[in-house]
Amino acid sequence: MRLFKDPAYRQDDGAGGDFPPAQLSVAHVIGAAEGITVHRQARVASFADRYHEWREHASLWLSGLDLAPDLAVDIGSKRWLRGAATLIGLTTMTLLAWPGFSPVEAAPAMAIDDGVRDEMRSQMIMPLALGADSGRKMGSTAVVTPLASAPERPRLDVVATLTQGDSFDRMLRRAGVSEAEAGQVARMVAAAVPLDQIASGTQVDITLGRRLAAGQPRPLDALAFRARFDLELGVERRNGSLALDPRPIRVDATPLRIKAQVGDSLYRSARAAGAPARSVQQFLRVISNELDVERDIAPGDEIDLIVDYKRAATGEVEAGELLYAAIIRNGQPKKRLMRWGREGRYYEASGVGEQREGLLQPVPGAVSSRYGMRRHPILGYTRLHAGLDFRASYGTPIYAVTDGTVSFAGRHGGHGNYVRLNHEGGLGTGYAHMSRIAVSSGQRVRRGQIIGYVGSTGLSTGPHLHYEMYRGGRTVDPSSVRFVTRAQLTGRELTEFRARLDLLQRVAPGAALAPLAPDPAQQDEPVREIDRLDQRRQTT
């Protein structure tokens, strides 16, 4: 089949003649198309093979580089250094590519003008404690005119607390009372009770009135507080001036007497019988000075203790010191002790004071230098070291080793600040190099009382306590002395002691726990008529 004949197509046969027209059949056309397709497929297959071959060569080349060696092997070698460099490089690239945490700012979804902002603010809910004034009915607009000055409360009730080391008038001024009225009230209160006897922590209810003029302190309208257990004080403004209103409180001072049989534990037996915890601790401390609690007190014995006890008509209760302590066995007293005197010492029923054995250590420190001959660290020659040196830091309290009287307190040559105590039996003790003295000459001190503080005054190379002991005026080795003190009552004092002991013995156990009749002065007058009727029925 002739497909076409192009007259412009000529082919020279070398002799200058034309070729005849090309004759193409359908088979020729189909065969040519198939040839083109196979050629294209061969070219594609050849490119994929070459890429696969290149990738394999690249993988083999990269695996041969050994970029990630085991850093736990051959530390310090070239291979290890190459691996460390790879690790550092990858870590650096990671840190450089680390994303930031800066906040993303977005444009508001809508334009907000002043009117819209006021509407949104009026619908907010914010904490009122932070001063919020939001809310549908509270959000102000431009129509609202602010006041020049807000009106203040006509009356202000505050509670002030007397802290330790604070003065009464300064406490009132801190609560808002003017300086003049605070001083006036302090003088009025001091006339009823000494200000130093008002316990720290006492709360004072204060009512302040309206200011007379802007910038002036509020005037004091009323004041009330518990000055003592048996006294409440009030200050009120009457006819324009302040007046003191003392309000005595009826107090029952019947001592609390408790008897209990000792079980497995003396402490638990006394507590189960109703004794206050502090009183039981005092009982054990007093009895242990005379008896071995573990050995001399057995189950079945009876304990008898009397505590200073006060009950107010207002309902408050105050438990004081232990007045009497006794151990009873088979109905007979084994040991009886009663508190007597201003020093609060306990005496047996015969008038003999409690036994005090041994000496207290003056400071809680180790001994750095003992009694005997030694080379003085400052003077440079050998001489008698007539005492014990205790290691202690500057300002450590120094305690009296036992009861005594201060015979000297002041500066004493190389001793610096020095205190000397005289004790019974012709014994005396001295305390040197103090930074500060806490007693005075002629003062009576008790065992364990603070008499001064550690320092480095006088001939001293550093803070410590030089402790001396004297017998008959001559120094002795303090570590060789251990003595017992026991006082004895005589004469009129013994008679008064026995009368007091007899009076305590008449107190019935549990008498202080009986119901206390209310004080009519402390009862408020009923306001409602039905309350008056109920009160009238109770009295009849």
Side-chain angles (χ1 to χ4, degrees):
M1 179 181 67
R2 177 177 297 180
L3 296 178
F4 61 85
K5 178 180 180 180
D6 186 1
Y9 181 78
R10 298 286 187 268
Q11 184 174 2
D12 194 353
D13 60 355
D18 295 335
F19 287 98
Q23 301 292 328
L24 297 177
S25 65
V26 176
H28 290 160
V29 175
I30 295 174
E34 291 179 351
I36 293 172
T37 303
V38 172
H39 179 69
R40 287 179 181 177
Q41 291 178 352
R43 288 181 60 188
V44 172
S46 177
F47 178 77
D49 292 341
R50 285 199 302 273
Y51 172 75
H52 181 69
E53 183 179 356
W54 173 80
R55 188 178 65 178
E56 288 184 352
H57 281 85
S59 299
L60 291 174
W61 180 76
L62 290 175
S63 63
L65 292 180
D66 193 16
L67 295 176
D70 188 357
L71 296 181
V73 180
D74 299 333
I75 297 175
S77 62
K78 293 182 178 180
R79 181 170 175 269
W80 184 89
L81 293 174
R82 185 174 63 254
T86 302
L87 176 63
I88 295 173
L90 293 176
T91 303
T92 304
M93 292 177 60
T94 303
L95 295 176
L96 292 176
W98 191 269
F101 293 95
S102 58
V104 179
E105 296 183 0
M110 57 179 292
I112 300 177
D113 55 8
D114 294 339
V116 175
R117 187 177 294 106
D118 290 339
E119 181 65 21
M120 293 175 62
R121 179 173 175 271
S122 66
Q123 299 182 26
M124 291 179 182
I125 299 177
M126 298 177 65
L128 295 178
L130 302 180
D133 57 353
S134 60
R136 183 66 181 177
K137 297 181 179 180
M138 297 180 64
S140 61
T141 63
V143 180
V144 178
T145 303
L147 296 175
S149 61
E152 63 179 12
R153 297 178 182 177
R155 171 177 170 175
L156 186 62
D157 295 323
V158 297
V159 178
T161 302
L162 182 64
T163 59
Q164 187 174 5
D166 198 4
S167 62
F168 197 83
D169 58 336
R170 186 163 56 245
M171 178 265 297
L172 294 178
R173 293 199 304 271
R174 191 169 56 248
V177 182
S178 65
E179 184 175 358
E181 289 187 343
Q184 180 183 357
V185 171
R187 290 189 295 270
M188 295 168 62
V189 172
V193 58
L195 296 180
D196 56 356
Q197 293 185 6
I198 302 176
S200 59
T202 300
Q203 292 187 337
V204 182
D205 298 326
I206 302 174
T207 300
L208 301 176
R210 188 189 296 273
R211 304 177 194 272
L212 300 179
Q216 292 185 358
R218 289 176 175 266
L220 177 65
D221 283 352
L223 176 148
F225 68 101
R226 190 73 168 264
R228 284 198 313 258
F229 190 75
D230 60 345
L231 178 64
E232 182 177 352
L233 290 180
V235 175
E236 297 180 356
R237 185 174 295 278
R238 300 171 184 172
N239 300 324
S241 60
L242 296 175
L244 183 66
D245 181 20
R247 306 161 191 169
I249 300 174
R250 186 165 63 87
V251 174
D252 178 50
T254 303
L256 175 62
R257 186 173 190 177
I258 295 176
K259 287 186 176 182
Q261 190 173 15
V262 179
D264 296 335
S265 170
L266 189 153
Y267 179 84
R268 287 198 293 268
S269 300
R271 291 286 289 140
R278 179 172 176 267
S279 302
V280 179
Q281 293 171 357
Q282 285 184 312
F283 180 88
L284 291 173
R285 186 163 53 249
V286 170
I287 290 296
S288 62
N289 289 332
E290 300 291 333
L291 300 175
D292 188 335
V293 177
E294 298 293 335
R295 185 183 59 190
D296 297 335
I297 302 177
D301 292 344
E302 188 178 13
I303 60 174
D304 185 6
L305 58 93
I306 300 177
V307 181
D308 187 15
Y309 199 73
K310 295 179 180 179
R311 294 182 300 161
T314 52
E316 294 84 4
V317 174
E318 183 180 76
E321 299 291 336
L322 178 69
L323 303 178
Y324 174 81
I327 298 293
I328 302 173
R329 177 173 294 174
N330 299 325
Q332 299 296 325
K334 180 178 177 64
K335 181 64 66 175
R336 293 193 301 169
L337 296 169
M338 190 186 77
R339 183 183 178 93
W340 183 256
R342 290 180 300 176
E343 298 177 358
R345 179 178 292 183
Y346 291 88
Y347 291 81
E348 293 183 1
S350 60
V352 178
E354 60 180 328
Q355 180 172 304
R356 304 280 185 93
E357 294 188 358
L359 300 176
L360 289 177
Q361 186 169 318
V363 291
V367 176
S368 59
S369 182
R370 297 192 173 275
Y371 184 90
M373 301 299 295
R374 71 164 188 177
R375 184 179 180 84
H376 197 280
I378 296 179
L379 300 179
Y381 57 85
T382 301
R383 70 173 189 174
L384 176 65
H385 182 241
L388 300 177
D389 286 348
F390 288 90
R391 292 192 184 98
S393 58
Y394 190 91
T396 301
I398 302 172
Y399 304 98
V401 296
T402 189
D403 298 347
T405 304
V406 180
S407 61
F408 181 86
R411 196 78 179 184
H412 189 263
H415 286 151
N417 292 331
Y418 177 75
V419 171
R420 181 164 176 171
L421 304 179
N422 288 338
H423 311 286
E424 296 180 357
L427 292 175
T429 53
Y431 311 80
H433 307 312
M434 293 184 177
S435 62
R436 183 163 62 89
I437 297 174
V439 292
S440 57
S441 296
Q443 180 179 343
R444 179 71 179 175
V445 296
R446 298 183 60 188
R447 172 191 174 106
Q449 180 177 337
I450 296 177
I451 60 175
Y453 300 89
V454 171
S456 185
T457 56
L459 295 178
S460 172
T461 58
H464 72 285
L465 172 65
H466 177 73
Y467 168 62
E468 297 179 344
M469 178 166 285
Y470 306 91
R471 174 179 286 139
R474 302 183 63 178
T475 60
V476 295
D477 186 358
S479 60
S480 64
V481 177
R482 179 180 178 85
F483 58 88
V484 175
T485 60
R486 183 181 287 269
Q488 174 71 50
L489 298 178
T490 58
R492 180 179 178 181
E493 190 174 14
L494 179 60
T495 303
E496 295 176 353
F497 170 82
R498 289 176 176 172
R500 174 63 175 170
L501 179 61
D502 183 64
L503 184 62
L504 288 178
Q505 293 296 310
R506 299 177 185 176
V507 177
L513 301 178
L516 184 63
D519 188 359
Q522 300 295 328
Q523 292 183 343
D524 296 331
E525 183 69 21
V527 178
R528 300 183 305 173
E529 185 63 27
I530 188 172
D531 295 332
R532 293 193 181 95
L533 293 175
D534 291 340
Q535 189 180 52
R536 190 176 300 114
R537 292 193 192 101
Q538 293 175 2
T539 55
T540 56

mmCIF file of all heavy atoms in Angstrom, residues 454-480:
data_model
loop_
_atom_site.group_PDB
_atom_site.id
_atom_site.type_symbol
_atom_site.label_atom_id
_atom_site.label_comp_id
_atom_site.label_asym_id
_atom_site.label_seq_id
_atom_site.Cartn_x
_atom_site.Cartn_y
_atom_site.Cartn_z
ATOM 1 N N VAL A 454 30.036 33.627 128.492
ATOM 2 C CA VAL A 454 31.433 33.347 128.153
ATOM 3 C C VAL A 454 32.007 34.491 127.325
ATOM 4 O O VAL A 454 31.353 35.044 126.443
ATOM 5 C CB VAL A 454 31.529 32.012 127.386
ATOM 6 C CG1 VAL A 454 32.937 31.808 126.837
ATOM 7 C CG2 VAL A 454 31.145 30.856 128.299
ATOM 8 N N GLY A 455 33.276 34.837 127.638
ATOM 9 C CA GLY A 455 33.977 35.875 126.897
ATOM 10 C C GLY A 455 35.473 35.621 126.901
ATOM 11 O O GLY A 455 35.930 34.482 127.112
ATOM 12 N N SER A 456 36.261 36.688 126.703
ATOM 13 C CA SER A 456 37.714 36.572 126.669
ATOM 14 C C SER A 456 38.358 37.803 127.304
ATOM 15 O O SER A 456 39.381 38.301 126.839
ATOM 16 C CB SER A 456 38.195 36.397 125.220
ATOM 17 O OG SER A 456 39.581 36.168 125.165
ATOM 18 N N THR A 457 37.768 38.287 128.406
ATOM 19 C CA THR A 457 38.313 39.450 129.088
ATOM 20 C C THR A 457 39.470 39.026 129.993
ATOM 21 O O THR A 457 39.589 37.868 130.383
ATOM 22 C CB THR A 457 37.222 40.135 129.913
ATOM 23 O OG1 THR A 457 36.646 39.193 130.823
ATOM 24 C CG2 THR A 457 36.114 40.671 129.023
ATOM 25 N N GLY A 458 40.322 39.995 130.349
ATOM 26 C CA GLY A 458 41.478 39.693 131.197
ATOM 27 C C GLY A 458 42.591 39.034 130.403
ATOM 28 O O GLY A 458 42.725 39.217 129.193
ATOM 29 N N LEU A 459 43.422 38.219 131.081
ATOM 30 C CA LEU A 459 44.519 37.507 130.430
ATOM 31 C C LEU A 459 43.969 36.240 129.796
ATOM 32 O O LEU A 459 43.975 35.162 130.395
ATOM 33 C CB LEU A 459 45.621 37.180 131.448
ATOM 34 C CG LEU A 459 46.349 38.387 132.068
ATOM 35 C CD1 LEU A 459 47.374 37.943 133.076
ATOM 36 C CD2 LEU A 459 47.004 39.224 130.963
ATOM 37 N N SER A 460 43.509 36.359 128.577
ATOM 38 C CA SER A 460 42.879 35.246 127.884
ATOM 39 C C SER A 460 43.252 35.303 126.411
ATOM 40 O O SER A 460 43.326 36.382 125.816
ATOM 41 C CB SER A 460 41.353 35.305 128.036
ATOM 42 O OG SER A 460 40.722 34.357 127.234
ATOM 43 N N THR A 461 43.489 34.123 125.830
ATOM 44 C CA THR A 461 43.848 34.048 124.410
ATOM 45 C C THR A 461 42.639 33.795 123.521
ATOM 46 O O THR A 461 42.764 33.804 122.301
ATOM 47 C CB THR A 461 44.869 32.913 124.190
ATOM 48 O OG1 THR A 461 44.298 31.679 124.657
ATOM 49 C CG2 THR A 461 46.165 33.195 124.942
ATOM 50 N N GLY A 462 41.483 33.553 124.107
ATOM 51 C CA GLY A 462 40.276 33.287 123.321
ATOM 52 C C GLY A 462 39.092 33.029 124.230
ATOM 53 O O GLY A 462 39.240 32.871 125.449
ATOM 54 N N PRO A 463 37.898 32.970 123.686
ATOM 55 C CA PRO A 463 36.699 32.749 124.506
ATOM 56 C C PRO A 463 36.746 31.391 125.210
ATOM 57 O O PRO A 463 36.933 30.345 124.572
ATOM 58 C CB PRO A 463 35.545 32.804 123.496
ATOM 59 C CG PRO A 463 36.104 33.440 122.282
ATOM 60 C CD PRO A 463 37.545 33.141 122.257
ATOM 61 N N HIS A 464 36.587 31.363 126.506
ATOM 62 C CA HIS A 464 36.497 30.146 127.305
ATOM 63 C C HIS A 464 36.062 30.544 128.711
ATOM 64 O O HIS A 464 36.005 31.727 129.048
ATOM 65 C CB HIS A 464 37.824 29.379 127.330
ATOM 66 C CG HIS A 464 38.889 30.043 128.145
ATOM 67 N ND1 HIS A 464 39.588 31.164 127.716
ATOM 68 C CD2 HIS A 464 39.367 29.754 129.389
ATOM 69 C CE1 HIS A 464 40.453 31.523 128.646
ATOM 70 N NE2 HIS A 464 40.342 30.684 129.675
ATOM 71 N N LEU A 465 35.777 29.552 129.549
ATOM 72 C CA LEU A 465 35.443 29.796 130.949
ATOM 73 C C LEU A 465 36.531 29.221 131.828
ATOM 74 O O LEU A 465 36.865 28.034 131.733
ATOM 75 C CB LEU A 465 34.102 29.150 131.317
ATOM 76 C CG LEU A 465 33.762 29.181 132.817
ATOM 77 C CD1 LEU A 465 33.561 30.608 133.300
ATOM 78 C CD2 LEU A 465 32.548 28.325 133.129
ATOM 79 N N HIS A 466 37.081 30.065 132.713
ATOM 80 C CA HIS A 466 38.009 29.621 133.740
ATOM 81 C C HIS A 466 37.209 29.466 135.031
ATOM 82 O O HIS A 466 36.689 30.433 135.572
ATOM 83 C CB HIS A 466 39.142 30.627 133.922
ATOM 84 C CG HIS A 466 40.092 30.257 135.029
ATOM 85 N ND1 HIS A 466 41.008 29.235 134.926
ATOM 86 C CD2 HIS A 466 40.245 30.777 136.280
ATOM 87 C CE1 HIS A 466 41.688 29.140 136.057
ATOM 88 N NE2 HIS A 466 41.241 30.060 136.891
ATOM 89 N N TYR A 467 37.094 28.212 135.503
ATOM 90 C CA TYR A 467 36.248 27.880 136.650
ATOM 91 C C TYR A 467 37.124 27.453 137.818
ATOM 92 O O TYR A 467 37.977 26.557 137.673
ATOM 93 C CB TYR A 467 35.286 26.762 136.253
ATOM 94 C CG TYR A 467 34.550 26.112 137.391
ATOM 95 C CD1 TYR A 467 33.675 26.835 138.193
ATOM 96 C CD2 TYR A 467 34.726 24.756 137.665
ATOM 97 C CE1 TYR A 467 32.994 26.231 139.240
ATOM 98 C CE2 TYR A 467 34.056 24.136 138.701
ATOM 99 C CZ TYR A 467 33.191 24.879 139.479
ATOM 100 O OH TYR A 467 32.526 24.279 140.513
ATOM 101 N N GLU A 468 36.943 28.099 138.972
ATOM 102 C CA GLU A 468 37.737 27.810 140.168
ATOM 103 C C GLU A 468 36.834 27.394 141.318
ATOM 104 O O GLU A 468 35.641 27.708 141.328
ATOM 105 C CB GLU A 468 38.548 29.043 140.590
ATOM 106 C CG GLU A 468 39.572 29.491 139.566
ATOM 107 C CD GLU A 468 40.343 30.727 140.022
ATOM 108 O OE1 GLU A 468 39.872 31.389 140.969
ATOM 109 O OE2 GLU A 468 41.384 31.020 139.430
ATOM 110 N N MET A 469 37.433 26.673 142.296
ATOM 111 C CA MET A 469 36.714 26.277 143.507
ATOM 112 C C MET A 469 37.616 26.539 144.710
ATOM 113 O O MET A 469 38.834 26.310 144.658
ATOM 114 C CB MET A 469 36.310 24.805 143.441
ATOM 115 C CG MET A 469 35.593 24.327 144.698
ATOM 116 S SD MET A 469 34.766 22.751 144.464
ATOM 117 C CE MET A 469 33.366 23.282 143.506
ATOM 118 N N TYR A 470 36.993 27.035 145.788
ATOM 119 C CA TYR A 470 37.728 27.402 147.001
ATOM 120 C C TYR A 470 37.153 26.642 148.195
ATOM 121 O O TYR A 470 35.944 26.394 148.276
ATOM 122 C CB TYR A 470 37.607 28.908 147.266
ATOM 123 C CG TYR A 470 38.018 29.770 146.096
ATOM 124 C CD1 TYR A 470 37.086 30.177 145.135
ATOM 125 C CD2 TYR A 470 39.337 30.197 145.956
ATOM 126 C CE1 TYR A 470 37.455 30.964 144.066
ATOM 127 C CE2 TYR A 470 39.706 30.999 144.885
ATOM 128 C CZ TYR A 470 38.761 31.370 143.952
ATOM 129 O OH TYR A 470 39.140 32.154 142.898
ATOM 130 N N ARG A 471 38.025 26.276 149.096
ATOM 131 C CA ARG A 471 37.626 25.698 150.389
ATOM 132 C C ARG A 471 38.438 26.410 151.466
ATOM 133 O O ARG A 471 39.668 26.322 151.474
ATOM 134 C CB ARG A 471 37.886 24.190 150.444
ATOM 135 C CG ARG A 471 37.601 23.589 151.837
ATOM 136 C CD ARG A 471 37.826 22.096 151.871
ATOM 137 N NE ARG A 471 36.754 21.383 151.188
ATOM 138 C CZ ARG A 471 36.929 20.333 150.385
ATOM 139 N NH1 ARG A 471 38.161 19.914 150.131
ATOM 140 N NH2 ARG A 471 35.905 19.728 149.839
ATOM 141 N N GLY A 472 37.740 27.096 152.337
ATOM 142 C CA GLY A 472 38.434 27.879 153.363
ATOM 143 C C GLY A 472 39.276 28.994 152.786
ATOM 144 O O GLY A 472 40.297 29.371 153.384
ATOM 145 N N GLY A 473 38.903 29.527 151.612
ATOM 146 C CA GLY A 473 39.649 30.628 151.007
ATOM 147 C C GLY A 473 40.784 30.200 150.105
ATOM 148 O O GLY A 473 41.409 31.048 149.475
ATOM 149 N N ARG A 474 41.090 28.897 150.035
ATOM 150 C CA ARG A 474 42.205 28.416 149.204
ATOM 151 C C ARG A 474 41.639 27.592 148.046
ATOM 152 O O ARG A 474 40.642 26.893 148.185
ATOM 153 C CB ARG A 474 43.155 27.566 150.041
ATOM 154 C CG ARG A 474 43.718 28.313 151.241
ATOM 155 C CD ARG A 474 44.715 27.461 152.010
ATOM 156 N NE ARG A 474 45.873 27.144 151.190
ATOM 157 C CZ ARG A 474 46.912 26.441 151.627
ATOM 158 N NH1 ARG A 474 46.920 25.959 152.885
ATOM 159 N NH2 ARG A 474 47.931 26.195 150.837
ATOM 160 N N THR A 475 42.331 27.687 146.896
ATOM 161 C CA THR A 475 41.846 26.971 145.710
ATOM 162 C C THR A 475 42.062 25.469 145.862
ATOM 163 O O THR A 475 43.047 25.012 146.443
ATOM 164 C CB THR A 475 42.585 27.456 144.446
ATOM 165 O OG1 THR A 475 43.986 27.220 144.584
ATOM 166 C CG2 THR A 475 42.333 28.935 144.202
ATOM 167 N N VAL A 476 41.110 24.719 145.351
ATOM 168 C CA VAL A 476 41.199 23.258 145.296
ATOM 169 C C VAL A 476 40.831 22.819 143.889
ATOM 170 O O VAL A 476 40.278 23.590 143.092
ATOM 171 C CB VAL A 476 40.259 22.599 146.334
ATOM 172 C CG1 VAL A 476 40.673 22.924 147.746
ATOM 173 C CG2 VAL A 476 38.809 23.014 146.085
ATOM 174 N N ASP A 477 41.135 21.563 143.568
ATOM 175 C CA ASP A 477 40.820 21.023 142.257
ATOM 176 C C ASP A 477 39.299 20.848 142.152
ATOM 177 O O ASP A 477 38.715 20.053 142.881
ATOM 178 C CB ASP A 477 41.524 19.682 142.064
ATOM 179 C CG ASP A 477 41.349 19.143 140.647
ATOM 180 O OD1 ASP A 477 40.654 19.788 139.851
ATOM 181 O OD2 ASP A 477 41.924 18.078 140.358
ATOM 182 N N PRO A 478 38.627 21.571 141.249
ATOM 183 C CA PRO A 478 37.163 21.463 141.174
ATOM 184 C C PRO A 478 36.669 20.061 140.822
ATOM 185 O O PRO A 478 35.586 19.660 141.230
ATOM 186 C CB PRO A 478 36.789 22.465 140.078
ATOM 187 C CG PRO A 478 37.934 23.421 140.017
ATOM 188 C CD PRO A 478 39.144 22.597 140.336
ATOM 189 N N SER A 479 37.481 19.303 140.070
ATOM 190 C CA SER A 479 37.032 17.973 139.666
ATOM 191 C C SER A 479 37.059 16.974 140.809
ATOM 192 O O SER A 479 36.521 15.876 140.678
ATOM 193 C CB SER A 479 37.914 17.457 138.515
ATOM 194 O OG SER A 479 39.279 17.376 138.922
ATOM 195 N N SER A 480 37.653 17.341 141.957
ATOM 196 C CA SER A 480 37.746 16.415 143.089
ATOM 197 C C SER A 480 36.634 16.639 144.104
ATOM 198 O O SER A 480 36.591 15.932 145.118
ATOM 199 C CB SER A 480 39.101 16.567 143.785
ATOM 200 O OG SER A 480 39.218 17.866 144.359
#
